[in-house]
C-alpha cells in the first residue's frame, strides 16, 4: 500500500537512469502476444474496442474490463482501478482516498483477513493512491481457481468492506508513520512545497497523503460516505493480464461483479481549472539534511493535448544520461550531482518538473540558474534533428523491451486510465513517433518560460527556526469567568424628525462669512461629530498654480511644534479621530470626538490647519506615493475608460483649473512640484474665515461656542472666494474601445449630458428614475437584465448627477452608467445597456416601480437624520445653502407625492439615449462582435 510519489520517481529517473527516459516515457506499453478472442456473446457483457491485443468489455452496470492475454507468461495479474484519488477530496477530507486504500485490506464479512488469504493463495499484492485514481493489484502463478478467488475478493470489497472505527484506529499509526517517512525525505518535502505553490486552486497542489489534522480527525461516517460514493462498478476498470483463459475469465468477472448495483446518486464532477500562472513563484524549505536541491516546475497541458508527446520527447532530449543537455551542462561540469526534467501526463493540466541536486556545500542557486538558462533559452539554441532522432530511437527501444511483459502492461494501463482512457497508453506512444522538430521547439517556447516557473528549494539547516502556532483554547473556556467592562453611556431616544431637529439646532453667524450649526444631544458613549468646510480662491487666481493644491493632502504631515507622529499621538490620547485636508478651493476639517475632548480636538486641528509646515521628507514620500499610485492605474480598464470619458467630455481650455489633464500630464505635474511652491500656495489661498462649522452630538454648547469664536474667524484667505461656474454642454456621442492587455475583466462606462440643477423641479423625479434604472445591481432595470437574466456582470449601476450653485444657474448634469464584465461579453453588455436605456425612455416606469423607489429614497432620508455621522453633513449642507430643516421636509414631501407620470415626463425631457457615449476598456483580443 503506497502513494504514487512523483518526487521519488523523478529522483530515481534522474539519478540512476543511464538509458532510461523520465517517468512518462519509461512507462511504455507491452505488446500482447496473444489476441483476446473471447466471445462478445458472453452474457451481460458488451464488447468494445481492441488496441494491439488489449480488448475492452463493459458490464451492464457500467464496469469496464480489459483483457491483456499472454499465454507465454506463467503469471496472471489482476489490477482494479477506481476513478478516485486525492483530487476528489473536499476541504477537511485530504488523505481520505489514501486512508480508504489502507482500510480496504481490513476485510469484509466474507473475507475477514485479506492479507492472510492473499498469502494462502500465493498472491503478491499491493495498492497505490495517486491524484486521479486508486488501484489494487495482485500477481500470482497462473491459476483459474486463484483468478476466480481474487475476482470474488475484489468484487466483495468494492461494496462490503468494513471501514470500521477499530480498523481506522489501528491503521492510523501506520498511515502517520508513512506520512512522517515522507516528511523526513528532503526530496519529498521540497516536491510537496513545489506542488502546493504551483497550484493555487486545483487539488493537484495537495499531497495525496493529506494534512495530518484531516487524517487524524477523520470521522468514520465521512469515510464510509466517501467509500460508498466512489467505489462502484461504473467508476471502476478491471484489467486482467498474463496467462488466463479469456472466455472463462469473462464468465468469472460477470459472476463476481455483474450483480453489483451502482448507488442512485451520480458521480460528482471535478470542474476546478487552474488559472494561467502570471509570474514566477518561489518557496524555500529548511530542514536538517545533507544535500541541497531545487525543483523547477512548469505548467503543461493535460495528457490528451497534442503538445504532450512533443514535451515528453523534449524532456528526454534534455535529461537523457549521458548525452542530454542538462546532464552535460550541470553534471559533467560538476555544478550538480543530478539534473533532469520529467513530466507525468495527467487528466488535467499538470507540471513538468525539473530537479537539480548539489552537495551540502554546493551552490544550488547557481545550478538552478544554469538549469533555467538551458531549458528556457531553447529559442536561441534550438533542438536539432539529430537530437530528436536519437530520442525517438531511445523511446522505440524502450517500447520494444516493455512489450515482452503483459503483466507489466496490465499495471502500466493504470496511468492511462487516470488520464481519462486506457487507449491513451498506446496513443501517446504512437504520437511520440510522429513528433517533429518544429513541435519540440514550439512547445519549449510555449511552456518553458519564466512567468510559468515555480521553484522549490531545499536548504539543509541543522537548527531550523520554527514559529510554532499552539492550539487555541475553546472560546467557552476563555470566556468562562469573563465579566467585561461597564456599558457605554446610553444616549437619549433622539427624535430625528425635521421639526424636532430644527427646534434643537442652534444656527450661528459667527462673522458675516462664517456660519456654525450646533445640535447638542445625548449620544451613546458621549460621541461628537465635527465638520468644517472653508472656501477660498477663484478661477482667475488658480490659473497656472492649481497643481500646488497637492498641498491639501499634506496638512497632517507636520505643523509648527508638531511632528506627524505627535499629531497622531495627541489624537490617540484624546480618544479621537481627526483630519485636515484641502483642495484648490476648500479646506476640510473632520473630527470624531467625545464630550470631554471635542474642544481640545478642535484646538489641535485648527493649529494643524493654520501652521502646517509641509516637511521636506514627508513631501517627497507623499509625492512618490502619489506617482506610484497613478502609475499603478495606467493599464487598469477602469482608469482607461475613465480617462477616455473625461477627455471626451472636457470643455475647458488647457490650463483652466477644471480642464482635463491626461494621466501622464498629471504625473509630470507631480514630479515637477516644489515644496516651497506648495507652502506658498497654502500661505496665499488657505483660510478659515469663510465657510461653515457644524457640530452634532454630546457637547457643552457654551464651551464649544467660545472655542469657535476664537478658532476660525481670524484666519482670512488672501484670495477672494468665487465658485467656478459650470454649464450644460451637448457632447456628440462616441463609442471607444480601449485595450487593456491580459486583464481578465473589462470596464464599461457610458455617459450622456443633460441640463440639470438640483433645484430643478425634474431632479427628484430623475433621482427616482435612476433608482429604478440602475440604483441597485441586484434589483433595477439594468441589474435585472444584465446580471439576473443574462449573467453578463457582477455589478452594473447608474448615477444621475445634478449640478449646484447658490444662484441655481449651474446645470452641468449627466446620467452615467457603469459596470464590469468579461472582455468577451463587453460588446453584448454594451448592447444591453443601450437597449435597456432606450426601452426605459420609450416605455417609461410603472406606478409600482415608483412606489418602491420612493420608499427606498424616503428610508434613506429618514435614516440620515438619526445618525450623527450623516446628520452633521445634512446640517452643513443647509448652512452653506442658507436653508433649514423645513427645506429638507419640503423636499421629502415632494418625493412622497411623485407619480409615474411625473417621473416619465422628466425622463423623456432630460435623457437622450441617442446621445449616449460609451467607453469599453479591456483585453481587445477577447472582444466579440
Amino acid at each position: 500500500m503506497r502513494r504514487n510519489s512523483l518526487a521519488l520517481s523523478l529522483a530515481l529517473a534522474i539519478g540512476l537512469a543511464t538509458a532510461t527516459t523520465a517517468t512518462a516515457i519509461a512507462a511504455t506499453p507491452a505488446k500482447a502476444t496473444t489476441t483476446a478472442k473471447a466471445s462478445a456473446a458472453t452474457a451481460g457483457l458488451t464488447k468494445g474496442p481492441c488496441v494491439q491485443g488489449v480488448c475492452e468489455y463493459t458490464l451492464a452496470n457500467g464496469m469496464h474490463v480489459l483483457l491483456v492475454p499472454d499465454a507465454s507468461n506463467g503469471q496472471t495479474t489482476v489490477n482494479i482501478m477506481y476513478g478516485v484519488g486525492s483530487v476528489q477530496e473536499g476541504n477537511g477530507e485530504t488523505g481520505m482516498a489514501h486512508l480508504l486504500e489502507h482500510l480496504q485490506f481490513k476485510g469484509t464479512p466474507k473475507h475477514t483477513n485479506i492479507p492472510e488469504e492473499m498469502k494462502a493463495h500465493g498472491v503478491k499484492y499491493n495498492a497505490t493512491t495517486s491524484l486521479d485514481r486508486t488501484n489494487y493489484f495482485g500477481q500470482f502463478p497462473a491459476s483459474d481457481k486463484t483468478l476466480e478467488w481474487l475476482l470474488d475478493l475484489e468484487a466483495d470489497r468494492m461494496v462490503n468492506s468494513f471501514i470500521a472505527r477499530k480498523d481506522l484506529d489501528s491503521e492510523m499509526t501506520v498511515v502517520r508513520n508513512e506520512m512522517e517517512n515522507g516528511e523526513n525525505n528532503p526530496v519529498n518535502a521540497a516536491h510537496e512545497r513545489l506542488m502546493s505553490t504551483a497550484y493555487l486552486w486545483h487539488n493537484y497542489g495537495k499531497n495525496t497523503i493529506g494534512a495530518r489534522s484531516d487524517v487524524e480527525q477523520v470521522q468514520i461516517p465521512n469515510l464510509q460516505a466517501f467509500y460508498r460514493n466512489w467505489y462502484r462498478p461504473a467508476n471502476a476498470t478491471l484489467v486482467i493480464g498474463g496467462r488466463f483463459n479469456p472466455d472463462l475469465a469473462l464468465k468469472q468477472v460477470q459472476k463476481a461483479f455483474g450483480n453489483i448495483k451502482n448507488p442512485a446518486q451520480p458521480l460528482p464532477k471535478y470542474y476546478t481549472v487552474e488559472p494561467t500562472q502570471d509570474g514566477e513563484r518561489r518557496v524555500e524549505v529548511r530542514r536538517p539534511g545533507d544535500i541541497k536541491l531545487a525543483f523547477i516546475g512548469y505548467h503543461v497541458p493535460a495528457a490528451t493535448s497534442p503538445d504532450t508527446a512533443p514535451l515528453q520527447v523534449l524532456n528526454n532530449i534534455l535529461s537523457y544520461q549521458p548525452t542530454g543537455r542538462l546532464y552535460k551542462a550541470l553534471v559533467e561540469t560538476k555544478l550538480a550531482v543530478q539534473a533532469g526534467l520529467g513530466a507525468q501526463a495527467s487528466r488535467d493540466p499538470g507540471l513538468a518538473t525539473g530537479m537539480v541536486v548539489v552537495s551540502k556545500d554546493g551552490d544550488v542557486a547557481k545550478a538552478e540558474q544554469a538549469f533555467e538558462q538551458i531549458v528556457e533559452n531553447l529559442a536561441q539554441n534550438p533542438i536539432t534533428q539529430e537530437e530528436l532522432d536519437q530520442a525517438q530511437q531511445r523511446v522505440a527501444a524502450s517500447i520494444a523491451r516493455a512489450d515482452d511483459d503483459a503483466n507489466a502492461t496490465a499495471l502500466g494501463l493504470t496511468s492511462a486510465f487516470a488520464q481519462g482512457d486506457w487507449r491513451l497508453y498506446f496513443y501517446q506512444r504512437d504520437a511520440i513517433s510522429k513528433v517533429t522538430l518544429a513541435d519540440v521547439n514550439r512547445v519549449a517556447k510555449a511552456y518553458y518560460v519564466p512567468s510559468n516557473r515555480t521553484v522549490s528549494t531545499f536548504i539543509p539547516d541543522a537548527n531550523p527556526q520554527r514559529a510554532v502556532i499552539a492550539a487555541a483554547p475553546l472560546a467557552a473556556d476563555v470566556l468562562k469567568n469573563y465579566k467585561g467592562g461597564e456599558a457605554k453611556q446610553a444616549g437619549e431616544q433622539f427624535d430625528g424628525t425635521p421639526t424636532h431637529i430644527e427646534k434643537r439646532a442652534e444656527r450661528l453667524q459667527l462673522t458675516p462669512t462664517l456660519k456654525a450649526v450646533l445640535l447638542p444631544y445625548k449620544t451613546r458613549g458621549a460621541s461628537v461629530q465635527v465638520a468644517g468646510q472653508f472656501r477660498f480662491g477663484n478661477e482667475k487666481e488658480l490659473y497656472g498654480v492649481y497643481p500646488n493644491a497637492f498641498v491639501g493632502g499634506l496638512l497632517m504631515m507636520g505643523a509648527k511644534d508638531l511632528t506627524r507622529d505627535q499629531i497622531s499621538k495627541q489624537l490617540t490620547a484624546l480618544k479621537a479621530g481627526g483630519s485636515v485636508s484641502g483642495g484648490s478651493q476648500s479646506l476640510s476639517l473632520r473630527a470624531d470626538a467625545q464630550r470631554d475632548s471635542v474642544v481640545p480636538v478642535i484646538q489641535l486641528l485648527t493649529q494643524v490647519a493654520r501652521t502646517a509646515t509641509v516637511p521636506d521628507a514627508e513631501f517627497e514620500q507623499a509625492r512618490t506615493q502619489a506617482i506610484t499610485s497613478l502609475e499603478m492605474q495606467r493599464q487598469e480598464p477602469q482608469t482607461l475608460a475613465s480617462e477616455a470619458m473625461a477627455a471626451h467630455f472636457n470643455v475647458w481650455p488647457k490650463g483652466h483649473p477644471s480642464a482635463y489633464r491626461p494621466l501622464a500630464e498629471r504625473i509630470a505635474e507631480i514630479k515637477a512640484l516644489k515644496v516651497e511652491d506648495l507652502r506658498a500656495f497654502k500661505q496665499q489661498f488657505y483660510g478659515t474665515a469663510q465657510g461653515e462649522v457644524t457640530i452634532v452630538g454630546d457637547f457643552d454648547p457654551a464651551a464649544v461656542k467660545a472655542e469657535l469664536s476664537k478658532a476660525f474667524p481670524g484666519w482670512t484667505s488672501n484670495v477672494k472666494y468665487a465658485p467656478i461656474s459650470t454649464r450644460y454642454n451637448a457632447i456628440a456621442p462616441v463609442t471607444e474601445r480601449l485595450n487593456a492587455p491580459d486583464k481578465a475583466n473589462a470596464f464599461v462606462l457610458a455617459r450622456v449630458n443633460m441640463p440639470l440643477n438640483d433645484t430643478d423641479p425634474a431632479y427628484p423625479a430623475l433621482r427616482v428614475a435612476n433608482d429604478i434604472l440602475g440604483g441597485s445591481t441586484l434589483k433595477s432595470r439594468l441589474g435585472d437584465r444584465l446580471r439576473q437574466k443574462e449573467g453578463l456582470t457582477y455589478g452594473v449601476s447608474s448615477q444621475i448627477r445634478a449640478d449646484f450653485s447658490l444662484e441655481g444657474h449651474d446645470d452641468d448634469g449627466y446620467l452615467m452608467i457603469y459596470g464590469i464584465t468579461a472582455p468577451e461579453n463587453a460588446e453584448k453588455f454594451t448592447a444591453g445597456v443601450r437597449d435597456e436605456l432606450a426601452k426605459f425612455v420609450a416605455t417609461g416606469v410603472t406606478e409600482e416601480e415608483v412606489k418602491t423607489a420612493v420608499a427606498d429614497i424616503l428610508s434613506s432620508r429618514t435614516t440620515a437624520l438619526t445618525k450623527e455621522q450623516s446628520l452633521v453633513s445634512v446640517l452643513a449642507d443647509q448652512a452653506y445653502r442658507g436653508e433649514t430643516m423645513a427645506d429638507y421636509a419640503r423636499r421629502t414631501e415632494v418625493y412622497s407625492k411623485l407619480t409615474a407620470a411625473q417621473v416619465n415626463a422628466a425622463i423623456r425631457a432630460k435623457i437622450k439615449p441617442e446621445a449616449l457615449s460609451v467607453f469599453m476598456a479591456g483585453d481587445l483580443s477577447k472582444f466579440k462582435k
Side-chain angles (χ1 to χ4, degrees):
M1 291 170 280
R2 65 181 188 272
R3 292 170 294 133
N4 190 41
S5 173
L6 174 61
L8 182 59
S9 65
L10 275 170
L12 292 173
I14 294 169
L16 303 179
T18 56
T20 307
T21 67
T23 307
I25 296 178
T28 44
K31 180 180 178 183
T33 57
T34 301
T35 302
K37 296 181 179 179
S39 170
T42 302
L45 287 165
T46 302
K47 190 171 187 298
C50 291
V51 179
Q52 299 189 23
V54 179
C55 289
E56 178 183 11
Y57 299 85
T58 304
L59 275 66
N61 56 20
M63 179 173 156
H64 298 287
V65 182
L66 302 178
L67 300 186
V68 192
D70 181 2
S72 66
N73 196 309
Q75 277 196 323
T76 304
T77 295
V78 172
N79 180 24
I80 186 164
M81 307 172 293
Y82 293 95
V84 59
S86 55
V87 164
Q88 281 70 37
E89 297 164 347
N91 287 335
E93 295 182 343
T94 62
M96 196 173 281
H98 175 245
L99 194 57
L100 187 58
E101 172 216 309
H102 278 247
L103 294 186
Q104 281 288 79
F105 287 88
K106 292 298 183 178
T108 71
K110 184 177 181 180
H111 298 278
T112 57
N113 192 330
I114 291 176
E116 184 177 281
E117 293 181 41
M118 290 280 200
K119 185 176 182 180
H121 285 83
V123 178
K124 304 298 182 184
Y125 63 92
N126 213 327
T128 68
T129 305
S130 189
L131 300 171
D132 295 299
R133 54 82 186 159
T134 303
N135 76 308
Y136 303 83
F137 59 92
Q139 293 181 319
F140 51 89
S143 164
D144 293 339
K145 288 185 177 181
T146 303
L147 176 59
E148 183 177 24
W149 174 84
L150 187 53
L151 292 174
D152 179 78
L153 168 66
E154 294 298 355
D156 190 33
R157 66 175 174 176
M158 178 184 283
V159 290
N160 294 320
S161 285
F162 288 127
I163 317 297
R165 178 79 254 175
K166 63 180 181 62
D167 295 326
L168 177 61
D169 292 340
S170 65
E171 196 69 15
M172 183 61 67
T173 54
V174 177
V175 174
R176 188 185 296 116
N177 187 243
E178 183 180 359
M179 179 184 293
E180 292 161 350
N181 183 56
E183 291 174 351
N184 280 352
N185 189 317
V187 176
N188 282 341
H191 184 260
E192 182 179 295
R193 300 302 182 274
L194 173 80
M195 299 300 288
S196 63
T197 305
Y199 287 96
L200 299 180
W201 301 106
H202 197 286
N203 273 359
Y204 280 176
K206 294 179 181 177
N207 195 328
T208 301
I209 203 164
R212 179 183 288 267
S213 58
D214 288 358
V215 173
E216 292 180 343
Q217 299 183 66
V218 65
Q219 301 299 304
I220 276 294
N222 298 51
L223 199 55
Q224 290 171 338
F226 192 84
Y227 167 59
R228 289 191 296 269
N229 196 26
W230 293 103
Y231 280 65
R232 60 172 75 187
N235 194 39
T237 294
L238 174 72
V239 185
I240 305 176
R243 182 185 295 178
F244 62 91
N245 182 311
D247 281 322
L248 178 59
L250 287 176
K251 291 176 182 177
Q252 292 171 331
V253 169
Q254 173 64 26
K255 178 183 176 182
F257 293 93
N259 293 324
I260 300 176
K261 298 185 182 303
N262 289 296
Q265 71 273 20
L267 282 168
K269 299 294 184 182
Y270 188 82
Y271 47 79
T272 299
V273 176
E274 183 68 19
T276 300
Q277 187 164 322
D278 51 7
E280 185 194 51
R281 301 172 190 162
R282 283 188 171 269
V283 64
E284 183 179 274
V285 181
R286 286 185 174 270
R287 292 185 180 182
D290 296 302
I291 61 169
K292 294 177 183 176
L293 65 89
F295 277 112
I296 305 98
Y298 304 89
H299 290 278
V300 293
T304 54
S305 167
D307 288 347
T308 295
L311 281 165
Q312 291 175 338
V313 173
L314 174 60
N315 295 341
N316 180 275
I317 292 169
L318 294 172
S319 302
Y320 182 72
Q321 301 177 18
T323 60
R325 292 193 182 189
L326 290 171
Y327 182 85
K328 296 185 74 65
L330 278 82
V331 180
E332 286 188 357
T333 62
K334 299 184 179 180
L335 276 176
V337 294
Q338 296 180 26
L341 176 65
Q344 188 171 22
S346 48
R347 180 185 296 267
D348 293 337
L351 212 65
T353 306
M355 184 170 73
V356 293
V357 181
V358 303
S359 60
K360 192 172 184 178
D361 57 354
D363 190 339
V364 70
K366 187 175 181 180
E368 181 212 325
Q369 185 179 21
F371 176 98
E372 291 160 1
Q373 181 66 27
I374 293 168
V375 173
E376 296 174 9
N377 288 280
L378 292 172
Q380 287 72 42
N381 189 17
I383 301 300
T384 65
Q385 186 64 49
E386 181 182 3
E387 288 176 305
L388 173 61
D389 293 341
Q390 290 176 354
Q392 288 174 317
Q393 290 170 11
R394 288 192 294 268
V395 172
S398 177
I399 291 169
R401 291 191 299 272
D403 272 351
D404 295 333
D405 190 351
N407 289 284
T409 301
L411 295 177
L413 288 168
T414 305
S415 294
F417 165 79
Q419 293 162 8
D421 193 299
W422 63 271
R423 289 171 294 176
L424 291 170
Y425 187 86
F426 302 100
Y427 176 86
Q428 289 172 352
R429 180 185 68 180
D430 296 342
I432 287 172
S433 67
K434 300 174 183 177
V435 169
T436 67
L437 193 60
D439 291 333
V440 172
N441 287 310
R442 174 181 54 78
V443 296
K445 184 178 179 181
Y447 305 111
Y448 293 164
V449 295
S451 64
N452 190 35
R453 179 205 305 152
T454 299
V455 180
S456 172
T457 307
F458 178 86
I459 304 296
D461 189 337
N463 298 292
Q465 185 178 3
R466 298 283 186 263
V468 179
I469 309 300
L474 295 174
D477 294 336
V478 172
L479 300 172
K480 186 176 181 180
N481 298 311
Y482 177 71
K483 302 299 182 184
E486 294 183 3
K488 278 190 172 185
Q489 172 190 306
E492 65 178 91
Q493 188 171 336
F494 182 67
D495 181 357
T497 61
T499 302
H500 180 77
I501 291 172
E502 190 60 36
K503 284 181 180 179
R504 293 188 63 168
E506 185 175 3
R507 301 181 185 272
L508 307 174
Q509 192 75 43
L510 299 177
T511 72
T513 58
L514 186 61
K515 302 175 184 178
V517 182
L518 308 182
L519 179 60
Y521 65 93
K522 297 294 182 182
T523 58
R524 177 176 169 82
S527 61
V528 189
Q529 293 291 319
V530 180
Q533 189 77 11
F534 310 99
R535 296 174 173 81
F536 44 76
N538 56 69
E539 183 175 2
K540 179 181 178 183
E541 296 294 335
L542 283 169
Y543 257 95
V545 298
Y546 57 84
N548 292 320
F550 185 81
V551 71
L554 306 178
L555 301 178
M556 295 288 286
M557 303 297 185
K560 183 180 180 182
D561 301 325
L562 287 171
T563 65
R564 180 181 186 179
D565 184 54
Q566 288 171 330
I567 295 170
S568 176
K569 286 181 177 178
Q570 286 199 31
L571 286 170
T572 300
L574 292 166
K575 298 180 181 179
S579 66
V580 179
S581 60
S584 60
Q585 286 195 279
S586 65
L587 172 68
S588 297
L589 182 151
R590 291 301 299 256
D592 178 1
Q594 294 178 322
R595 182 181 180 89
D596 295 338
S597 65
V598 64
V599 170
V601 168
I602 292 173
Q603 291 170 343
L604 174 62
L605 295 181
T606 303
Q607 180 185 355
V608 170
R610 286 192 176 218
T611 68
T613 55
V614 193
D616 290 358
E618 299 287 358
F619 162 67
E620 289 298 341
Q621 183 183 86
R623 169 159 56 188
T624 300
Q625 291 172 344
I627 292 171
T628 302
S629 177
L630 290 174
E631 292 281 7
M632 288 172 58
Q633 299 173 37
R634 278 185 185 272
Q635 295 302 315
E636 293 302 316
Q638 184 169 345
T639 300
L640 294 171
S642 299
E643 289 285 305
M645 186 184 78
H648 181 67
F649 282 89
N650 177 55
V651 296
W652 304 102
K654 187 175 179 60
H656 189 279
S658 300
Y660 163 74
R661 290 118 61 212
L663 185 64
E665 186 177 321
R666 300 200 300 277
I667 292 173
E669 286 175 354
I670 296 173
K671 289 180 178 179
L673 288 174
K674 297 179 180 179
V675 68
E676 54 269 24
D677 292 337
L678 269 62
R679 293 170 182 150
F681 182 89
K682 176 183 175 293
Q683 184 69 26
Q684 176 71 7
F685 281 82
Y686 276 34
T688 57
Q690 182 170 347
E692 308 82 40
V693 182
T694 308
I695 304 179
V696 174
D698 195 342
F699 61 91
D700 179 354
V704 166
K705 282 190 277 188
E707 182 58 35
L708 293 183
S709 65
K710 296 185 296 183
F712 302 112
W715 186 24
T716 304
S717 171
N718 294 316
V719 181
K720 183 179 180 181
Y721 171 65
I724 298 175
S725 180
T726 50
R727 301 307 301 268
Y728 161 74
N729 288 273
I731 303 294
V734 296
T735 298
E736 295 187 18
R737 297 170 180 82
L738 306 125
N739 194 26
D742 200 34
K743 294 294 182 180
N745 223 333
F747 188 78
V748 178
L749 192 57
R751 171 173 162 173
V752 56
N753 281 0
M754 66 179 70
L756 186 65
N757 184 280
D758 69 357
T759 61
D760 191 320
Y763 175 60
L766 287 172
R767 187 175 169 194
V768 169
N770 180 71
D771 193 275
I772 297 169
L773 176 64
S776 166
T777 291
L778 296 178
K779 186 56 189 174
S780 64
R781 291 280 187 92
L782 291 170
D784 286 349
R785 173 172 175 173
L786 299 174
R787 173 170 170 155
Q788 308 289 41
K789 181 181 178 181
E790 297 182 3
L792 297 176
T793 181
Y794 173 77
V796 59
S797 298
S798 64
Q799 172 188 337
I800 289 278
R801 179 194 181 271
D803 207 345
F804 167 75
S805 61
L806 290 177
E807 300 79 10
H809 299 313
D810 292 3
D811 61 351
D812 184 19
Y814 57 76
L815 165 68
M816 187 162 63
I817 299 171
Y818 46 93
I820 57 174
T821 188
E824 54 267 30
N825 292 330
E827 299 286 357
K828 187 176 181 180
F829 176 90
T830 299
V833 167
R834 290 188 182 280
D835 183 58
E836 205 59 41
L837 182 62
K839 289 178 180 176
F840 186 69
V841 174
T843 62
V845 299
T846 67
E847 291 291 355
E848 187 62 31
E849 287 177 312
V850 171
K851 181 180 178 181
T852 301
V854 166
D856 184 41
I857 292 170
L858 294 181
S859 175
S860 297
R861 291 180 68 82
T862 300
T863 302
L865 303 184
T866 62
K867 299 178 180 179
E868 58 264 33
Q869 294 89 344
S870 52
L871 183 51
V872 71
S873 298
V874 171
L875 294 173
D877 182 62
Q878 290 175 0
Y880 178 55
R881 293 171 178 264
E883 295 182 346
T884 68
M885 291 304 302
D887 297 289
Y888 193 92
R890 174 180 52 79
R891 290 194 178 93
T892 300
E893 186 177 10
V894 170
Y895 282 112
S896 68
K897 294 182 177 180
L898 281 172
T899 65
Q902 291 173 305
V903 174
N904 287 328
I907 291 171
R908 289 191 293 271
K910 297 289 187 178
I911 300 176
K912 308 300 179 187
E914 66 277 8
L916 186 73
S917 290
V918 177
F919 307 88
M920 293 178 275
D923 191 337
L924 293 181
S925 67
K926 299 178 182 178
F927 274 40
K928 295 180 180 178
K929 294 294 185 183

